[in-house]
Amino acid sequence: MEENITEVITNLVFQMAVIIFAVRVFGKLAAKVGIPSVLGELIAGIVIGPFALGGIPFPGFPHGLFGVENSIAGAVSPELYAFGQIASIILLFSSGLETDLSLFLKYSVSGGIIGLGGVVVSFIFGDICALWILPMLGADCSGFMDIKCLFFGIMSTATSVGITARILSDKKKMDSPEGVTILASAVFDDVLGIVLLAIVMGIVAALGTGGTLSGGKIGLIALKAFGVWLVATVVFIAISKKIAKFVRLFGGTYDFSIAALGVAFLLAGFFEKQSIAMIIGAYTTGLALSGTDIAPVIEERIHGLYKFFVPLFFAVTGMSVDVSHLFTRDVLVCGGIYTVVAVVSKLIGCGGPALALGFNIKGGFRIGAGMIPRGEVALIIAGIGLAAKGPDGLPIIGPELFNVVILMTLVTTLIAPPILNISLSIKGRGTKKEVSLSESQQFIWDFKDFEIARLVLDSFIRDLRAESFYVQTMNMDEGLTHARKENISISIQQDGSVLTIEAAQADMGFVKGEIYEVMLRLNKSLATLGSLRNTDKLQYGFASPENRVEKLAYKILDEKCISCSLKGNTKQEIIEELSALLSNSGCVTDGKLLVADMKARDEAMSTGIGKGIAIPHARTDGVSEICVAIGIKKDGIDFGSLDGLPSRIFVMIASPASKSGPQMRVMAALTGALSKDDVRSGILAAETPAQVMEQLKGACR
C-alpha cells in the first residue's frame, strides 16, 4: 500500500511539473498572438491531456503521463481533479473580491436591469438550444427542466468582464456611457449566475435521491438553495468587518490574506455539504470582504497562489476534452449552434433593455457585444457538470456535451474582442440624447523608474479610497485598475515606469490635482530620507571591520578586472576606466549605459565611503550578471569622501536591474575586508592583480 501511495505522489509530481511549464508556454504564445492567456492554458491542457500527448505510453507510465483508468474524476486522476477544485475556489474567491458590492447594492439601475436581462434571456436561450442539440448528440432530454438543459442555460449566462475591460481601456471608453453600463451590468450578471447555479445544484442533489420532481418541489428546492445563498451572503456582509478584524489577528498582510482564504475554504465546504457548489461559498466570501479595507491587500497577497493554481485549473479542464470527438461533425455543428445562441442571447438580453434605458441601437449593440465573452465561470460550471452525477449515475455533461461547451467558450472569447472593437470604432454616440459624460482624456507620465511609478500609483489609489471611490483591479497581470464614484469613472494602468490615467475631460482637473498632491508628499518624504542618508552611521557602516566577509565576494572577482595602476585623475575618468575593466568579465552588454548609471548613482550620493575607499556601484541593464572591478590609484584622487581624504582603492560593483542579485552582500563583504588595515596596506603595495587577489582571498577565509 505504501508503495502505491509513493507511486501516486511521484506521478503527481511529474504531472505538476509538465503542467507548470505547459501552461506558461501556451499562455505566453496566446498573449503574443493577441488572444487571452486563459485560452492558451486551456489548449495546453488539451495538448498534454490523456486524449492527446498525455495518453502516449512510455517506460514507467504504461497509460501515458496523464492517462488514467477508471478514475472517479473522469478523464483525470483524483489528485489532479482535487488541485483543480482548489484552484476554482481561489479563482472565485478572487472574483468575489473584485466585485463592486456597493455598485450591486445601490448604484446603476440600468446596469441591474441590463444584467438581469442578459442572465434571463441567456438562460432561456441556452436551455432551449439544449433541447434542440441534445438529441443530435444522442443524449436523452426530458424537457426544459432536464438537468442537462439547465446546465446549458447556466453556462450561457456567464460573462468574462476582464476581457471587455481591457478592450474598453484600449479604446479609451472605460468612462463612456456604454463602458460604465457594461461594467455595472457584469456585476449583476456574475451574482445572478451564481444564484442560478446554487438553485440548479440543489435540483441535482434532489434528483440524486431518485424519483421525479414536480413543479412545486422544484420551487421549494430553488427557494432553499436561494435562501442558503442569500442568508450566507447577508450574514457574511453584515459581519465582514468582524471577519476582517479576525483574520488580522494572524499577523502581517501575507498571514491575514491566507487566513481570509481559509475562511473562503470553510464556507466553500459548508456550501458543498448543503449540496451547493463549493465555488459559490468561495465567491460569497470574496463578495462579503470586497467592501472592507483589506480586500485589495488580500487580492495582491494571494496573487502568487492565483498565478500557480488557476492556470492549473484551466489545464485540468482542457484535459477532459476528447480531441477525437472535438472535431466530429456533430460536435462542430452543435457547438456552432450553441455559440450563435450564446452570442445572440447576450446581444438581445443586454442590448434590448439598453434601448429602453436611453441607448440607441449602436449603444445597445456595444453593450451586448461587451457581455459576449464567456470564460472562467463557464468552464468551472462545465467542470461541475462533468463531475456531477445525474439520477442515472452518469455524468450530467458527458464528453461530447463538454466539448460543445469548450467550443462555445473558445469561440465567444475569441470573437468578442473584434466585435466590440468594431462597434466602438463606429463614429457617433451610443445614447439617444447627449449625456453629461464628456470625451475622455489620457494623462500619461513616464516616471523613468518602476519603483517611483509604483509609489505614485499606490498613493493615488489610497487617496481615491479616502475620497470614497470604489477601486477595482480589472486585470492584475496588466496593471489595469478601475475607480468609480457616482458618475466619475477613472481608468488607471501602469506599464513599467509609465502611468496612464484615463478620465472624462471634466474630471481630469481632479485627477491631475490628486497626482500633484501625491508627488508633493512623496517629494517631501524623499527629502526627509535624503537628509538622513549622509549620516555617519549609514556611510561608515559599509566600511566596518565587523562586516561579515563572505567567500561569495572573492568568487566573483576576476584578475582580468583588476588594475594596480589606474590612469584617471578625476572621478569621471576613474568611473569610465573601471567600467572598461568590467568589460573583461564578459558580463557587460551595454558599456555606455553602465557608465551612465554609475555616474547617476554617484551624483545622487558620493560613493566615496572614507578610509581611502570608494565603491562606485549601480543596478543597471548594462550588465547581464553581477560583476566586480578593482582599481588602485596609489597617489589617490578626490572622490568626495565624507572624511575628506583622497580615495586610493576603488571597487566597482554592477548588477543587473531586471533580476535579483547579492549586490549589497558583496559590497558589505569587500568593504569589510578593505576596512582591515593590513589588507588595505597589502593591496596598496600590490604590483600585480594576482597579489591583490591573494590579499582578498586571505581576508575572505
Side-chain angles (χ1 to χ4, degrees):
M1 184 68 177
E2 186 175 340
E3 291 181 358
N4 290 337
I5 293 175
T6 302
E7 184 179 353
V8 168
I9 294 174
T10 304
N11 290 347
L12 179 62
V13 168
F14 278 116
Q15 291 172 344
M16 294 292 290
V18 172
I19 292 174
I20 286 170
F21 289 108
V23 294
R24 272 147 187 80
V25 170
F26 279 82
K28 294 284 186 186
L29 291 175
K32 280 192 174 182
V33 299
I35 63 176
S37 60
V38 60
L39 296 187
E41 293 157 2
L42 183 69
I43 293 169
I46 296 174
V47 172
I48 67 174
F51 300 107
L53 299 180
I56 300 174
F58 61 95
F61 297 90
H63 304 295
L65 182 60
F66 292 97
V68 294
E69 284 189 339
N70 302 320
S71 170
I72 59 173
V76 298
S77 67
E79 298 78 33
L80 272 183
Y81 179 76
F83 268 100
Q85 291 300 294
I86 291 171
S88 67
I89 291 173
I90 294 172
L91 173 59
L92 266 293
F93 176 59
S94 297
S95 297
L97 285 172
E98 294 174 1
T99 300
D100 190 335
L101 180 60
S102 61
L103 183 67
F104 178 68
L105 295 175
K106 63 182 180 181
Y107 178 70
S108 186
V109 172
S110 60
I113 295 173
I114 290 170
L116 178 62
V119 168
V120 171
V121 174
S122 296
F123 179 80
I124 294 173
F125 275 39
D127 195 305
I128 293 174
C129 177
L131 286 173
W132 187 15
I133 66 176
L134 287 176
M136 297 172 61
L137 295 168
D140 295 331
C141 179
S142 59
F144 186 86
M145 293 302 295
D146 185 276
I147 199 65
K148 301 183 192 69
C149 296
L150 294 177
F151 259 91
F152 267 75
I154 296 175
M155 288 181 290
S156 184
T157 65
T159 297
S160 182
V161 72
I163 298 168
T164 299
R166 175 69 213 192
I167 299 166
L168 290 170
S169 177
D170 289 343
K171 287 288 186 178
K172 306 182 187 66
K173 296 292 184 181
M174 268 298 229
D175 65 336
S176 67
E178 296 93 327
V180 171
T181 303
I182 288 170
L183 296 178
S185 303
V187 175
F188 287 82
D189 188 288
D190 287 344
V191 175
L192 293 173
I194 289 292
V195 173
L196 277 177
L197 179 60
I199 293 171
V200 171
M201 289 306 294
I203 295 173
V204 171
L207 287 173
T209 61
T212 58
L213 295 176
S214 64
K217 286 184 178 179
I218 290 175
L220 288 174
I221 292 168
L223 186 62
K224 176 193 171 185
F226 176 73
V228 170
W229 173 82
L230 183 62
V231 169
T233 301
V234 170
V235 169
F236 263 56
I237 290 174
I239 65 171
S240 59
K241 291 184 179 179
K242 291 187 182 334
I243 296 174
K245 184 178 180 180
F246 167 71
V247 298
R248 277 197 176 103
L249 296 175
F250 289 90
T253 56
Y254 284 99
D255 293 308
F256 75 62
S257 298
I258 296 300
L261 183 59
V263 175
F265 276 99
L266 188 65
L267 192 61
F270 170 77
F271 269 56
E272 188 67 30
K273 287 293 185 181
Q274 302 303 312
S275 301
I276 302 174
M278 288 189 292
I279 60 169
I280 301 174
Y283 184 85
T284 299
T285 307
L287 183 68
L289 290 174
S290 67
T292 66
D293 59 345
I294 65 172
V297 178
I298 297 172
E299 188 178 349
E300 182 179 351
R301 292 296 183 257
I302 68 169
H303 189 56
L305 287 174
Y306 185 99
K307 291 289 288 182
F308 175 78
F309 277 100
V310 174
L312 186 147
F313 162 75
F314 293 121
V316 171
T317 301
M319 288 178 186
S320 298
V321 176
D322 189 341
V323 290
S324 65
H325 294 151
L326 183 60
F327 300 109
T328 61
R329 178 181 175 278
D330 288 344
V331 169
L332 289 175
V333 170
C334 294
I337 294 171
Y338 188 42
T339 300
V340 171
V341 168
V343 171
V344 172
S345 65
K346 285 295 185 184
L347 290 173
I348 295 175
C350 298
L355 298 178
L357 293 167
F359 291 92
N360 56 27
I361 293 177
K362 192 186 303 177
F365 183 79
R366 289 169 178 167
I367 291 171
M371 302 292 283
I372 285 174
R374 275 40 175 202
E376 304 86 3
V377 177
L379 293 174
I380 290 175
I381 296 171
I384 291 172
L386 189 64
K389 299 293 190 293
D392 56 3
L394 298 175
I396 293 171
I397 296 178
E400 286 193 325
L401 299 182
F402 184 75
N403 287 348
V404 168
V405 177
I406 294 295
L407 276 178
M408 183 274 289
T409 305
L410 286 171
V411 176
T412 55
T413 305
L414 287 173
I415 66 172
I419 292 176
L420 184 56
N421 268 315
I422 292 171
S423 68
L424 291 172
S425 299
I426 300 172
K427 293 183 178 180
R429 67 173 187 263
T431 54
K432 295 175 182 177
K433 298 178 181 179
E434 289 286 352
V435 293
S436 59
L437 289 174
S438 59
E439 287 296 320
S440 64
Q441 286 187 341
Q442 278 194 339
F443 171 67
I444 304 174
W445 198 320
D446 187 352
F447 291 91
K448 307 299 182 183
D449 183 272
F450 172 84
E451 296 297 337
I452 294 296
R454 172 55 64 181
L455 279 173
V456 172
L457 175 59
D458 290 345
S459 298
F460 180 53
I461 288 175
R462 282 198 300 271
D463 283 2
L464 289 176
R465 289 198 173 102
E467 294 273 352
S468 300
F469 277 79
Y470 182 86
V471 182
Q472 183 177 11
T473 302
M474 305 303 299
N475 194 321
M476 184 173 287
D477 290 334
E478 297 179 349
L480 181 61
T481 304
H482 187 237
R484 172 187 270 141
K485 180 183 179 183
E486 297 174 352
N487 62 341
I488 302 176
S489 177
I490 303 172
S491 174
I492 313 158
Q493 185 172 10
Q494 182 187 0
D495 184 8
S497 64
V498 178
L499 199 62
T500 302
I501 303 177
E502 178 191 337
Q505 187 175 8
D507 301 321
M508 192 51 74
F510 162 75
V511 169
K512 291 182 178 179
E514 282 286 357
I515 291 292
Y516 183 68
E517 289 297 321
V518 166
M519 293 177 66
L520 284 179
R521 291 201 310 271
L522 289 177
N523 185 60
K524 181 180 178 181
S525 299
L526 291 172
T528 303
L529 184 63
S531 67
L532 299 173
R533 68 186 180 186
N534 289 322
T535 61
D536 291 349
K537 289 182 180 179
L538 289 176
Q539 279 282 43
Y540 287 119
F542 275 122
S544 171
E546 285 78 31
N547 282 0
R548 184 188 301 275
V549 183
E550 301 183 71
K551 291 183 179 179
L552 167 69
Y554 177 78
K555 291 179 180 178
I556 293 174
L557 291 174
D558 188 330
E559 284 189 24
K560 293 182 292 185
C561 299
I562 298 176
S563 171
C564 295
S565 54
L566 293 177
K567 308 297 182 188
N569 293 307
T570 65
K571 180 186 288 191
Q572 180 171 327
E573 290 174 350
I574 291 293
I575 288 176
E576 291 174 353
E577 195 171 351
L578 288 170
S579 298
L581 272 175
L582 271 184
S583 298
N584 296 328
S585 69
C587 298
V588 176
T589 57
D590 188 334
K592 290 183 179 179
L593 180 60
L594 170 63
V595 171
D597 287 339
M598 285 291 174
K599 290 179 179 177
R601 169 61 185 85
D602 197 80
E603 287 171 3
M605 182 178 69
S606 175
T607 52
I609 63 173
K611 298 184 181 181
I613 308 166
I615 320 173
H617 60 278
R619 294 191 182 274
T620 171
D621 287 321
V623 299
S624 59
E625 299 290 342
I626 186 170
C627 47
V628 179
I630 296 177
I632 301 167
K633 179 83 174 175
K634 296 188 178 180
D635 49 354
I637 68 160
D638 180 9
F639 213 82
S641 295
L642 281 180
D643 59 7
L645 298 175
S647 298
R648 298 192 290 170
I649 300 175
F650 304 88
V651 180
M652 177 173 280
I653 305 172
S655 59
S658 56
K659 58 183 180 181
S660 60
Q663 176 173 295
M664 298 308 296
R665 285 170 54 200
V666 171
M667 187 185 306
L670 288 174
T671 53
L674 292 170
S675 296
K676 299 175 181 178
D677 293 338
D678 57 334
V679 174
R680 197 164 59 253
S681 299
I683 288 176
L684 287 172
E687 299 292 336
T688 66
Q691 292 174 348
V692 173
M693 291 282 286
E694 188 63 29
Q695 289 293 327
L696 289 171
K697 183 179 181 181
C700 291
R701 284 173 183 163

